[in-house]
């Protein structure tokens, strides 16, 4: 497995790979890899001839400077894991390579900016759109792999690919969880022992909501009960718990009018912000 830090050398290498007609799969990450990231790598390895992983903690998608400062960066361990999982190439640029000058382009993803992550993290999706567009242009993959854990991010990237005519097949992969249900996240290592104990309640509340909706409980009542549950279990500071159409992420008021529904949650435990979601139908 080769590691590239500069764009021209990477482009040269990928040109050679493309000459062999190899299908290229791409997994963009911010590093601090866990089994969730590695499941995307495995999926790409299975479906392509050549797999690229990028590791870049993208400053322009952080709206919280402390979060950026404390983002874990266990680089050698990441590289070792990628090698073990069959990744062929790692793109690990530093900030000057990705942003030699202050970026001027701003993305606006319309209604997706007004809800959930878009609402609570202003500018976040513009930063995500910018880095993903840059990485797509640099790597020009056939397919790109993302996690369902970041459901709204996937919707944003779908819209980016559609509007900018990227010829890239997008794949959305299932959320990988710890044994107790907590969705794997690079931020979990920053939880205190007590908060780590309480954290699985976030998945428990999603399962509870799913059960209620499947039994026919009205979304507004289910939302209220879920909020109450989180208040009683652990020191969660809830940002949102939303019942949405999985495709356009619009709020669901009546389950009958939607073919696919998800429940999405974001909450703080101490100074760690956690998000998760579950598919109901
Ligand atoms: P990140 O490094 O947090 O930017 O994540 C890189 C990719 O891994 C994104 O597409 C995430 O949605 C995905 N991902 C993060 N956590 C998980 C998880 N627990 N299961 C599956 N995919 C995940």
């Amino acid at each position: 497995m080769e590691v590239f830090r500069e764009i021209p050398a990477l482009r040269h290498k990928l040109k050679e790979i493309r000459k062999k007609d190899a299908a290229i799969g791409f997994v963009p990450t911010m590093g601090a890899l866990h089994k969730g990231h590695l499941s995307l790598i495995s999926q790409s390895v299975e479906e392509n001839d050549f797999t690229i992983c990028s590791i870049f903690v993208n400053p322009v998608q952080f709206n919280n400077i402390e979060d950026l400062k404390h983002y874990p960066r266990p680089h050698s361990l990441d590289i070792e894991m990628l090698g073990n999982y069959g990744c062929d190439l790692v793109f690990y640029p530093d900030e000057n390579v990705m942003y030699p000058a202050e970026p001027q382009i701003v993305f606006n993803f319309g209604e997706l900016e007004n809800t959930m992550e878009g609402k609570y993290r202003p500018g976040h999706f513009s930063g995500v759109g910018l880095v993903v567009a840059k990485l797509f242009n640099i790597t020009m993959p056939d397919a790109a792999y993302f996690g369902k854990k970041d459901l709204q991010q996937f919707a944003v990237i779908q819209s980016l690919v559609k509007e900018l005519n990227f010829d890239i097949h997008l794949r959305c992969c299932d959320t990988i969880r710890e044994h107790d249900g907590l969705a794997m996240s690079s931020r979990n290592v920053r939880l205190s022992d007590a908060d780590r104990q309480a954290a699985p309640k976030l998945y428990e509340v999603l399962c509870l909501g799913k059960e209620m909706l499947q039994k026919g409980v009205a979304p507004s009542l289910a939302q209220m009960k879920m909020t109450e549950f989180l208040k009683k279990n652990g020191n969660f500071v809830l940002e949102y718990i939303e019942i949405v159409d999985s495709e356009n992420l619009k709020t669901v008021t009546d389950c009958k009018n939607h073919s696919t529904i998800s429940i999405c949650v974001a909450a703080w435990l101490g100074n760690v912000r956690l998000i998760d979601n579950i598919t109901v139908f």
Side-chain angles (χ1 to χ4, degrees):
M1 187 181 73
E2 281 182 272
V3 180
F4 285 79
R5 304 221 60 192
E6 304 290 338
I7 297 170
L10 171 67
R11 283 205 162 122
H12 184 262
K13 167 79 184 184
L14 293 178
K15 218 169 169 175
E16 295 303 309
I17 300 291
R18 266 182 226 107
K19 271 188 201 154
K20 296 178 198 153
D21 247 356
I24 298 178
F26 175 48
V27 182
T29 79
M30 297 202 298
L33 303 181
H34 49 66
K35 285 186 185 146
H37 297 113
L38 296 168
S39 73
L40 307 186
I41 298 287
S42 297
Q43 189 84 19
S44 171
V45 167
E46 204 180 300
E47 296 176 358
N48 299 279
D49 305 306
F50 192 87
T51 290
I52 306 170
C53 177
S54 65
I55 298 179
F56 180 60
V57 182
N58 177 36
V60 304
Q61 75 183 65
F62 282 78
N63 56 328
N64 178 331
I65 190 80
E66 286 303 304
D67 192 22
L68 174 62
K69 220 165 71 186
H70 292 116
Y71 205 85
R73 292 166 171 88
H75 179 60
S76 318
L77 211 66
D78 284 350
I79 301 288
E80 195 184 315
M81 283 197 269
L82 288 171
N84 292 341
Y85 273 76
C87 180
D88 297 289
L89 186 155
V90 182
F91 180 44
Y92 172 54
D94 79 18
E95 224 172 289
N96 294 329
V97 164
M98 290 302 282
Y99 300 111
E102 180 83 14
Q104 300 298 315
I105 294 178
V106 174
F107 284 99
N108 184 327
F109 292 94
E111 289 191 22
L112 288 171
E113 296 271 350
N114 304 330
T115 177
M116 302 193 291
E117 294 303 284
K119 183 169 154 191
Y120 284 90
R121 302 184 68 188
H124 169 65
F125 285 135
S126 177
V128 168
L130 185 60
V131 79
V132 171
K134 283 163 88 70
L135 290 168
F136 280 177
N137 278 322
I138 293 165
T139 56
M140 295 198 294
D142 297 283
Y145 296 77
F146 295 89
K148 200 193 226 173
K149 164 152 186 295
D150 298 279
L151 187 70
Q152 197 172 5
Q153 171 174 279
F154 190 72
V156 160
I157 291 161
Q158 274 181 312
S159 136
L160 183 85
V161 162
K162 195 170 165 202
E163 288 204 32
L164 297 184
N165 300 94
F166 280 109
D167 188 15
I168 298 172
H169 181 56
L170 293 181
R171 302 279 278 120
C172 191
C173 306
D174 283 344
T175 302
I176 305 297
R177 301 180 178 280
E178 302 286 357
H179 292 302
D180 56 13
L182 176 65
M184 291 196 180
S185 162
S186 309
R187 292 180 174 92
N188 291 351
V189 293
R190 289 175 41 216
L191 291 166
S192 70
D193 288 347
D195 288 343
R196 176 61 190 83
Q197 291 259 307
K201 294 284 173 196
L202 213 55
Y203 182 56
E204 214 176 303
V205 81
L206 292 174
C207 294
L208 190 81
K210 175 173 174 164
E211 207 182 303
M212 282 192 280
L213 293 177
Q214 286 183 340
K215 279 187 183 149
V217 174
S220 54
L221 181 60
Q223 192 183 28
M224 213 170 75
K225 296 237 183 241
M226 286 188 284
T227 306
E228 275 169 18
F229 177 91
L230 275 188
K231 271 192 193 146
K232 281 192 214 133
N233 288 281
N235 295 320
F236 290 100
V237 177
L238 184 63
E239 275 193 350
Y240 63 78
I241 187 151
E242 294 281 348
I243 299 163
V244 298
D245 185 301
S246 314
E247 269 156 20
N248 57 29
L249 304 187
K250 287 196 180 143
T251 303
V252 166
T253 49
D254 185 345
C255 293
K256 281 194 208 98
N257 305 328
H258 303 267
S259 58
T260 169
I261 290 174
S262 295
I263 309 172
C264 302
V265 64
W268 291 85
L269 268 178
N271 59 358
V272 182
R273 186 174 184 275
L274 299 174
I275 64 169
D276 200 354
N277 66 78
I278 197 167
T279 309
V280 179
F281 301 108

